Amino acid sequence: MSYHRYPTEYDVIVIGAGHAGCEASLAPARMGLKTLTLTVNLDHVAFMPCNPSLGGPGKSHIVREIDALGGEMARNMDETMIQIRMLNTSKGPAVHGLRGQADKEAYHKRMKKVLEDQENLDLKQQVAEEIVVEDGEVKGVVTKTGVFFAGKKVILTTGTFLKGKVIIGAASFNAGPNQQYPANKLSDNLKELGINLRRFKTGTPPRVSGKSLDFSKMDPQPGEEGLAFSFMSEPLTGEQTMCYLTYTSAETHRLIQDNKMRTPLFSGVIEGVGPRYCPSIEDKVVRFPDKDRHQLFLEPEGLDTDEYYVSGLSTSLPQDVQIEMVRTIPGMEKGEIMRPGYAIEYDCVDPEEMKLDLELKKIKGIYTAGQINGSSGYEEAACQGLIAGINAALSLKGRESLILKRSESYIGVLIDDLVTKGTEEPYRIMTSRAEYRLLLRQDNADQRLTPLGHEIGLIKEERFKAYQEKIEQINLGMNFLKDKANKVNPTPEVIARLEELGSGNLAKPATLERLLRRPEIDYEDLRFFAPGLPKLPEQVVEQIQIQIKYKGYIDRQLSQVEQFRKMENRKIPEDIDYHKLKNLRLEAREKLKQVDPMSLGQASRISGVSPADISVLMIYLEQISRGKAGEEADKNGRD
């Protein structure tokens, strides 16, 4: 195809402007690099094709980590949020999760404005069709209109657009989410470049008209005061919109069973692999026939629309069945569908094609992020976009890639899982995937990652100063509580107050720290025993209480992390030939060659590599280390 060259040359070109694309674009631009973002439709920047919300356990942790590193998602959410709640409050802090409802139109508009206003960033409506590669290195992108944009790095954040196919019953047509223009030629181009693709599937529920619903038959789910996603935002105040809870019925399940063979999932129309942790309603009903009902969560799509998203009712059933199905649900007996639910199939890259910095192994300068890597979810996409954008920029600056460890972030867990283990279905983050989740709480994401964000240049001085002040306040409070000069003596007044608090007796003098370890005592309760107790912000008090009350568990996990670090620090040479290690099983050699792990720790997490294989590899690395030590000794002796 003939094309003309665009006059501006770019450092980084991002294809796609969904949640991954927005973070992938902002990061290098904010790090001072000339960046271009190409998207199919400017009216769908940061579009929410699925539920109009962010967060939940694991996912909210990632949103907080994006914020702590200097990304935009949390701030954009806080500015356009219409409800927020904290989930899992009856459990420990490791699994607490913020969940916020966005006004999806406002979310899109604000993020688009952020991109438009960002220095070093150009935003253009163009359909990318070809990535130009010469001698194994990316040179730029060619669009459908025949324009060549030169770029030193290209980040693919195409979401579900690669050969996207929407399926509703027997009807199917090529389209991206919300019936947008699909990216067919780009998918073919990736195959021509030797990239291994897979076919995945996801889906979405119908949107129903709010005025057709009877909310009196549903359970209201109100928001909470005093919460926000970003560490730098003021909590959401004032009136919040209401969400509602309802359930499927026996009639819903009968209708689905009667029409089972009309659904593409069971008729064989759908070829792609769907997400196990977010199945369609027809899949749930067929897989769990003894379950009486399934929970549905109605979410408003925004302040200026009548549409409600029926979370839990994802379906690709024919539209006539969808209408009947909706009307079997309590409170939805007269429900009117405004947009039918649908399944969407799409091509994605086998995540084992990537390195841990999200650059493709086969082509220098191409990075991939988001659903193209086999993940699902806005939050999972955004964090990959941020890391890909950061690493593309760091590479151009001649600096080492940012590779977050499993022990320091959920982002590190997610990327390591994808690259090291691969995935046979759309990947979703969960708290259970993290080995050290008590250390990776959503409340301490800034303490784990903000110094890194500052070091790479995304956290500016004003914010970093505020972070440092917070750390100083935490230390001030902790030191006061540990100071033996502030210890509490077992006087009659003290014992009486402890009884009022429902706490046990005090047999001998104790520090304030020891008293705070008691589950029934909070930081402010200590003021009775120590009037000079520092008055500290709520966020600071939260950190002090968690660190003291969970100290034993935290110390235990820190010890485990130290063992983990030893494995991660045992680097594997890039030029290692696994086929020469005869004591390795054949399967292990093939898997190690395919994944090409950076460290012994990463190698130990590869599916198909056994502990015995790791022992063989460990001995080999030790022999290499001794050999180099011997060579160095000989050299020093000669000198």
Side-chain angles (χ1 to χ4, degrees):
M1 178 176 116
S2 62
Y3 52 79
H4 67 270
R5 188 184 186 96
Y6 194 75
T8 304
E9 293 195 7
Y10 292 92
D11 294 309
V12 179
I13 299 175
V14 179
I15 300 176
H19 303 282
C22 289
E23 299 293 352
S25 303
L26 290 169
R30 288 171 173 173
M31 293 169 72
L33 298 176
K34 188 64 177 173
T35 305
L36 169 67
T37 305
L38 303 176
T39 182
V40 169
N41 190 340
L42 286 174
D43 295 328
H44 288 98
V45 171
F47 181 63
M48 291 180 156
C50 205
N51 50 331
S53 59
L54 292 179
K59 288 174 174 281
S60 67
H61 295 64
I62 282 180
V63 178
R64 278 282 179 92
E65 290 176 358
I66 291 168
D67 182 65
L69 284 168
E72 191 66 29
M73 176 174 260
R75 285 200 174 196
N76 204 65
M77 184 63 178
D78 289 340
E79 291 292 325
T80 58
M81 195 157 53
I82 56 180
Q83 193 205 76
I84 188 169
R85 295 190 300 158
M86 185 73 80
L87 305 183
N88 284 350
T89 52
S90 63
K91 301 178 181 179
V95 295
H96 288 178
L98 289 169
R99 192 172 198 275
Q101 302 296 142
D103 183 314
K104 66 189 300 181
E105 182 65 19
Y107 188 96
H108 144 71
K109 286 183 176 179
R110 184 190 178 275
M111 187 67 89
K112 180 171 180 277
K113 189 72 167 64
V114 169
L115 265 65
E116 289 172 344
D117 291 347
Q118 178 60 51
E119 187 180 0
N120 299 318
L121 178 59
D122 291 344
L123 181 63
K124 299 185 185 298
Q125 182 167 296
Q126 292 274 356
V127 179
E129 290 195 338
E130 180 186 350
I131 301 171
V132 178
V133 175
E134 295 177 5
D135 299 323
E137 186 171 355
V138 73
K139 297 299 178 182
V141 175
V142 178
T143 68
K144 187 178 180 67
T145 55
V147 181
F148 171 72
F149 292 95
K152 300 170 186 173
K153 305 286 182 183
V154 171
I155 306 175
L156 296 172
T157 65
T158 53
T160 60
F161 281 79
L162 290 182
K163 289 206 170 172
K165 182 168 79 169
V166 168
I167 305 167
I168 305 172
S172 65
F173 47 90
N174 289 332
N178 212 43
Q179 300 185 22
Q180 296 182 72
Y181 193 88
N184 293 334
K185 288 192 175 181
L186 187 57
S187 185
D188 293 334
N189 177 231
L190 288 174
K191 288 181 181 178
E192 290 167 4
L193 292 172
I195 305 304
N196 185 28
L197 300 184
R198 291 183 172 182
R199 193 76 173 160
F200 275 2
K201 166 246 166 188
T202 187
T204 190
R207 272 67 162 181
V208 296
S209 168
K211 62 176 177 281
S212 71
L213 306 179
D214 184 353
F215 294 115
S216 67
K217 296 182 179 180
M218 305 179 189
D219 299 327
Q221 304 291 304
E224 298 175 37
E225 293 281 335
L227 300 173
F229 277 95
S230 173
F231 288 99
M232 301 304 291
S233 293
E234 291 297 322
L236 184 64
T237 57
E239 186 178 354
Q240 299 184 29
T241 55
M242 190 70 72
C243 295
Y244 297 89
L245 198 62
T246 187
Y247 298 86
T248 58
S249 66
E251 182 61 18
T252 314
H253 296 192
R254 183 200 63 77
L255 183 68
I256 291 171
Q257 290 283 10
D258 289 349
N259 290 275
K260 181 174 69 173
M261 294 316 297
R262 292 185 66 198
T263 178
L265 184 65
F266 297 105
S267 66
V269 173
I270 289 178
E271 300 172 356
V273 181
R276 185 168 26 128
Y277 299 103
C278 189
S280 65
I281 187 63
E282 50 264 34
D283 197 18
K284 287 189 281 190
V285 168
V286 171
R287 281 169 55 191
F288 307 106
D290 297 330
K291 191 161 185 177
D292 295 334
R293 62 180 190 172
H294 293 280
Q295 179 178 289
L296 304 175
F297 191 67
L298 273 80
E299 309 173 49
E301 296 253 300
L303 298 176
D304 299 321
T305 178
D306 187 45
E307 291 184 75
Y308 275 77
Y309 178 94
V310 191
S311 182
L313 203 68
S314 177
T315 184
S316 58
L317 281 162
Q319 195 160 348
D320 61 304
V321 182
Q322 289 192 37
I323 294 168
E324 287 187 70
M325 177 177 66
V326 162
R327 294 178 179 178
T328 64
I329 296 166
M332 302 175 71
E333 293 84 355
K334 297 180 180 179
E336 289 290 342
I337 293 178
M338 298 178 71
R339 305 183 202 224
Y342 61 86
I344 183 169
E345 285 188 339
Y346 56 95
D347 286 349
C348 58
V349 172
D350 182 342
E352 292 184 355
E353 293 273 354
M354 308 180 298
K355 298 187 290 186
L356 285 171
D357 60 2
L358 299 182
E359 186 179 29
L360 291 179
K361 295 172 183 174
K362 294 174 181 173
I363 304 171
K364 186 177 180 182
I366 298 181
Y367 297 75
T368 55
Q371 283 184 274
I372 190 175
N373 286 342
S375 65
S376 69
Y378 308 147
E379 302 88 346
E380 290 91 336
C383 74
Q384 292 174 67
L386 177 64
I387 297 301
I390 288 171
N391 284 330
L394 289 175
S395 176
L396 289 170
K397 291 173 176 282
R399 295 173 60 183
E400 280 190 21
S401 295
L402 175 67
I403 297 175
L404 298 177
K405 299 182 181 67
R406 300 181 71 90
S407 59
E408 64 185 351
S409 69
Y410 271 87
I411 298 175
V413 170
L414 183 152
I415 294 175
D416 184 68
D417 277 352
L418 286 173
V419 174
T420 305
K421 301 176 183 178
T423 185
E424 299 299 323
E425 62 182 347
Y427 177 97
R428 178 183 180 182
I429 195 65
M430 295 176 287
T431 54
S432 60
R433 295 191 190 274
E435 301 91 333
Y436 313 109
R437 55 183 173 272
L438 187 54
L439 303 180
L440 307 183
R441 307 182 310 274
Q442 63 171 15
D443 59 80
N444 70 350
D446 57 339
Q447 295 172 65
R448 293 184 278 116
L449 298 177
T450 292
L452 275 174
H454 180 253
E455 184 182 331
I456 61 179
L458 287 180
I459 296 293
K460 304 307 177 187
E461 290 303 322
E462 183 180 357
R463 176 169 179 178
F464 192 61
K465 183 179 179 183
Y467 161 77
Q468 289 177 312
E469 289 173 356
K470 177 182 175 181
I471 298 302
E472 288 173 5
Q473 290 176 319
I474 292 172
N475 292 335
L476 172 68
M478 292 291 286
N479 291 336
F480 187 90
L481 297 177
K482 293 177 181 179
D483 194 339
K484 293 181 180 178
N486 301 318
K487 67 183 179 182
V488 178
N489 294 306
T491 64
E493 294 81 9
V494 165
I495 293 171
R497 179 56 181 157
L498 288 173
E499 288 179 359
E500 288 176 13
L501 294 171
S503 190
N505 197 3
L506 187 66
K508 58 182 181 180
T511 62
L512 294 167
E513 178 193 20
R514 185 162 291 278
L515 283 183
L516 189 55
R517 287 182 192 174
R518 300 185 177 190
E520 64 277 1
I521 292 180
D522 292 331
Y523 182 84
E524 279 303 316
D525 294 330
L526 299 177
R527 201 168 297 283
F528 176 88
F529 311 109
L533 186 75
K535 290 186 179 295
L536 299 170
E538 188 176 333
Q539 282 188 353
V540 172
V541 169
E542 178 187 31
Q543 291 306 299
I544 290 172
Q545 292 198 149
I546 290 173
Q547 288 182 33
I548 288 177
K549 291 183 182 296
Y550 293 88
K551 185 178 186 302
Y553 300 103
I554 290 172
D555 287 347
R556 193 178 308 157
Q557 288 214 335
L558 287 171
S559 176
Q560 293 168 353
V561 167
E562 190 55 39
Q563 295 302 313
F564 168 81
R565 281 180 183 154
K566 289 178 181 177
M567 292 282 280
E568 296 302 303
N569 288 337
R570 293 293 300 274
K571 299 302 180 185
I572 297 175
E574 291 183 7
D575 59 352
I576 186 170
D577 185 353
Y578 292 105
H579 288 287
K580 289 184 177 180
L581 303 185
K582 299 304 181 185
N583 290 330
L584 281 178
R585 293 175 307 112
L586 182 60
E587 181 188 8
R589 290 182 218 164
E590 293 297 332
K591 292 295 291 185
L592 286 163
K593 181 182 177 182
Q594 180 183 359
V595 176
D596 191 20
M598 294 178 61
S599 68
L600 196 62
Q602 187 187 0
S604 71
R605 295 186 293 275
I606 298 173
S607 300
V609 177
S610 70
D613 297 320
I614 294 300
S615 296
V616 171
L617 193 54
M618 190 181 297
I619 292 169
Y620 176 72
L621 294 176
E622 188 65 31
Q623 289 172 344
I624 291 176
S625 179
R626 288 175 181 170
K628 287 184 177 178
E631 289 176 9
E632 190 65 27
D634 289 343
K635 179 185 174 185
N636 290 337
R638 289 193 300 272
D639 292 344

